[in-house]
Amino acid sequence: MVALNERVIAMLGSGLYKSRDRRATGSCRWGGIGCGLLILPILGLLGLLPASLAAAEWYVALSGDNSAGTNWATAYTNLQTAVDGAGADAVIYVKADTFGRTNQIDLSSKQNLRITGGYAGTAPEPGTLSANYSVFARSSGNTRLFYGSATTVTIERLTAASGYINAHGAGMRFENGSAVTLSNVVIRNNTIPADDYGNMSRGAGLYISNGSLTAVDCRFDSNVMSYANWAARELGGGLYSENATTRLERSAFVGNYLYVKHYEAYGGAIYITGGSLIASNCSFLSNGATDGYAGSTAPYTYGGAIYLAASVNPVVLYGSHFSVNYVGGITATDRGGAVLFINGSTVNAMIEACSLEANNTGSAEEAVRIDAASSVVFCNSLISGSSDSAIQKAGAGRLVVTNCLFTSNARHGVYTTAGTATVVTATIADNMGWGITNSSATAVVSNCIVWNNTLGGIVNVSSVANTCDQEVQGGTGNFTNNPRFFMGYYLASNGLSFQTDSSPCIDAGGDTAANLGLSGRTTRTDGIGDAGAVDCGYHYSNGVA
């Protein structure tokens, strides 16, 4: 064999395979056959290629014969075997089978590894995709499904289910600088059971620290930490991220929850500390944090959907929907933020084009609670049907509410007790407490409509201007005329069906639509875009006429 190897190398070096046809692409051809097509197989047979080049593609299927792993027929039956053999930039194709696991799949130290599942297992390889994902599920014992340290990995069309372990990350755990990309991945039914005294359980679905996570078109479903020991603490039912760059796109968090016996449960769906969070076009449904203790010392349950802790910058929630998320339990105090709880003095958050509807319907807790933050901005967003206030702000820092609609909440629209608050071009109506109430914050209101709130409109704020309020306010440009809502909270436009008078809130603001970034949006049933003097109240993206 050595002599044969030497002969092949000699032929290559002698130019025996010299090009007879050099095309514009620069490819070398001999006799109409690509030179690379001849050389690479020969080198592979002789064992002269680096492992990462000779075996850049691997196959995993229960129907394989578990021999070479180079196609569906010879596919490995265990994903770990393919991972162990994969070099940098390798791709592992996985058939849409259900793979039972009794131990975790270790992806540590892999570089640019891609695991792509959901294949039908047909030739020519890799073949067509199945309608189903590849499923990795715990079959017995206590184990998580996936682990990675200092790895760079992309995982596609795969389900990690039923992990069960008394450690962080029952479904997946990544740490030490790992860069993880998930696409069309389902993480479901993973559980962290009773914890040791005084410890914190983190990330039943997925745990990541000191790295990056990108999840696109993913689903975190029914991951739980449930009824832990007396002093156990639980953080992040679906996802826990610590000092990591976290990006979520078009992903859903459904039915993730924390249930403590006595101490803390923070972030039913997500807990973030350090790093950053950007979530766009995501949905959060029925996630929660609750307790089961009726004694004198209350547990703490905060952030039914999301809990933001120290030094998360930036935070952007865009185009996302939150519904029926909750915090609760037996104890009636020390809980808050059915959707979002912020407790980081350096957090800078932007919540834009989001809807928060019917959250915490079982008990009285605000949709959003801000205990500490540098800056929180709500823009073009809706909060309705909460079991307490829409937003409650304490602590230093700034709250800005601009072009928002807060309606039909069971307590106040905006409730501030410290820091600064600015509310501009908002409609705050039909809430069961005050529209806007303040105790010790510096609060400023302008160009708003505050109407038909049970306890009253605006109270104890620093200044009000160019606002339609249900009670008389001092200041410039304020008025108490009926805003003439129509079809919800649009402003009536004279001349349209059943509308004989236009709303007095049209063109009643003290600034221009352009200056406030509202040009083209509308308050009116006829859909005419705002221009010139700004209309008071919330501006929709289009009309209803």
Side-chain angles (χ1 to χ4, degrees):
M1 176 64 73
V2 172
L4 180 58
N5 288 355
E6 292 173 348
R7 286 175 58 195
V8 171
I9 294 172
M11 286 190 295
L12 295 174
S14 69
L16 179 61
Y17 295 131
K18 186 180 293 183
S19 171
R20 296 186 180 182
D21 180 13
R22 187 168 299 278
R23 304 289 175 88
T25 61
S27 62
C28 177
R29 293 183 176 270
W30 178 68
I33 301 175
C35 181
L37 297 178
L38 292 174
I39 295 172
L40 292 180
I42 293 172
L43 292 180
L45 289 172
L46 299 179
L48 299 177
L49 284 177
S52 60
L53 182 57
E57 295 184 353
W58 300 88
Y59 291 82
V60 177
L62 294 180
S63 58
D65 66 14
N66 201 36
S67 58
T70 55
N71 54 44
W72 293 121
T74 65
Y76 295 130
T77 57
N78 189 335
L79 177 58
Q80 188 68 63
T81 307
V83 169
D84 291 345
D89 304 310
V91 180
I92 300 174
Y93 297 97
V94 185
K95 190 176 178 182
D97 293 325
T98 296
F99 299 84
R101 299 297 307 179
T102 58
N103 58 357
Q104 67 186 12
I105 297 164
D106 192 345
L107 307 175
S108 295
S109 302
K110 295 298 176 179
Q111 297 304 307
N112 299 322
L113 175 64
R114 180 181 167 215
I115 300 172
T116 178
Y119 281 87
T122 57
E125 281 77 4
T128 59
L129 289 171
S130 166
N132 301 314
Y133 288 178
S134 304
V135 177
F136 291 83
R138 179 183 61 90
S139 56
S140 63
N142 295 346
T143 187
R144 72 170 53 88
L145 282 310
F146 289 87
Y147 174 79
S149 174
T151 188
T152 304
V153 62
T154 297
I155 301 174
E156 303 167 332
R157 294 184 298 276
L158 180 146
T159 295
S162 303
Y164 188 94
I165 189 171
N166 190 7
H168 304 329
M172 295 182 174
R173 177 172 178 170
F174 297 98
E175 52 196 348
N176 299 324
S178 293
V180 181
T181 300
L182 307 179
S183 176
N184 292 283
V185 168
V186 176
I187 300 174
R188 61 176 168 83
N189 296 332
N190 299 287
T191 301
I192 299 177
D195 200 356
D196 296 328
Y197 184 90
N199 286 344
M200 285 191 177
S201 300
R202 304 175 184 179
L206 188 152
Y207 170 100
I208 185 164
S209 67
N210 299 302
S212 66
L213 169 68
T214 299
V216 181
D217 296 319
C218 293
R219 184 179 175 96
F220 295 73
D221 191 345
S222 302
N223 301 287
V224 304
M225 301 179 215
S226 180
Y227 211 81
N229 289 335
W230 178 257
R233 295 161 169 87
E234 301 173 350
L235 309 177
L239 167 64
Y240 175 94
S241 175
E242 179 176 345
N243 297 324
T245 301
T246 305
R247 178 184 166 206
L248 310 171
E249 294 183 25
R250 299 187 304 274
S251 292
F253 290 77
V254 180
N256 304 282
Y257 70 91
L258 312 174
Y259 184 30
V260 292
K261 185 174 183 180
H262 178 56
Y263 275 68
E264 294 99 351
Y266 297 164
I270 297 175
Y271 182 100
I272 306 281
T273 179
S276 62
L277 171 64
I278 299 176
S280 61
N281 300 301
C282 294
S283 60
F284 296 79
L285 175 65
S286 298
N287 304 284
T290 188
D291 71 80
Y293 179 63
S296 59
T297 303
Y300 300 90
T301 57
Y302 294 138
I306 299 174
Y307 187 108
L308 300 175
S311 304
V312 188
N313 282 303
V315 174
V316 178
L317 305 178
Y318 178 82
S320 295
H321 179 70
F322 300 80
S323 183
V324 203
N325 301 284
Y326 60 92
V327 289
I330 296 173
T331 306
T333 59
D334 296 300
R335 61 194 186 205
V339 171
L340 175 63
F341 187 93
I342 303 176
N343 190 28
S345 60
T346 60
V347 170
N348 287 285
M350 166 68 80
I351 299 91
E352 182 175 0
C354 292
S355 60
L356 291 65
E357 300 178 272
N359 292 284
N360 224 93
T361 55
S363 62
E365 302 302 331
E366 64 283 332
V368 177
R369 178 164 162 180
I370 306 165
D371 271 15
S374 175
S375 175
V376 178
V377 178
F378 275 82
C379 177
N380 302 335
S381 293
L382 162 73
I383 304 179
S384 69
S386 302
S387 296
D388 198 271
S389 300
I391 297 178
Q392 178 176 326
K393 182 195 178 301
R398 178 183 74 142
L399 169 65
V400 176
V401 175
T402 175
N403 196 45
C404 289
L405 177 62
F406 297 166
T407 69
S408 304
N409 299 288
R411 200 178 179 204
H412 312 308
V414 177
Y415 175 32
T416 58
T417 62
T420 67
T422 300
V423 184
V424 57
T425 57
T427 295
I428 300 176
D430 296 319
N431 300 287
M432 295 179 68
W434 292 94
I436 301 172
T437 182
N438 171 62
S439 60
S440 301
T442 301
V444 176
V445 180
S446 64
N447 307 313
C448 291
I449 302 173
V450 184
W451 197 257
N452 200 38
N453 302 284
T454 302
L455 294 183
I458 303 170
V459 64
N460 295 333
V461 303
S462 303
S463 69
V464 183
N466 301 100
T467 288
C468 174
D469 187 23
Q470 61 194 78
E471 292 106 15
V472 175
Q473 294 286 342
T476 303
N478 299 307
F479 55 99
T480 57
N481 306 72
N482 189 317
R484 296 189 182 277
F485 291 135
F486 192 84
M487 296 292 290
Y489 296 96
Y490 285 91
L491 302 182
S493 301
N494 185 26
L496 297 181
S497 299
F498 305 104
Q499 300 168 64
T500 57
D501 294 292
S502 292
S503 168
C505 299
I506 295 173
D507 295 332
D511 206 333
T512 67
N515 285 344
L516 296 175
L518 296 172
S519 295
R521 295 181 72 97
T522 186
T523 62
R524 304 162 51 139
T525 52
D526 58 16
I528 293 176
D530 201 357
V534 71
D535 299 345
C536 293
Y538 176 68
H539 290 57
Y540 294 85
S541 57
N542 50 58
V544 296

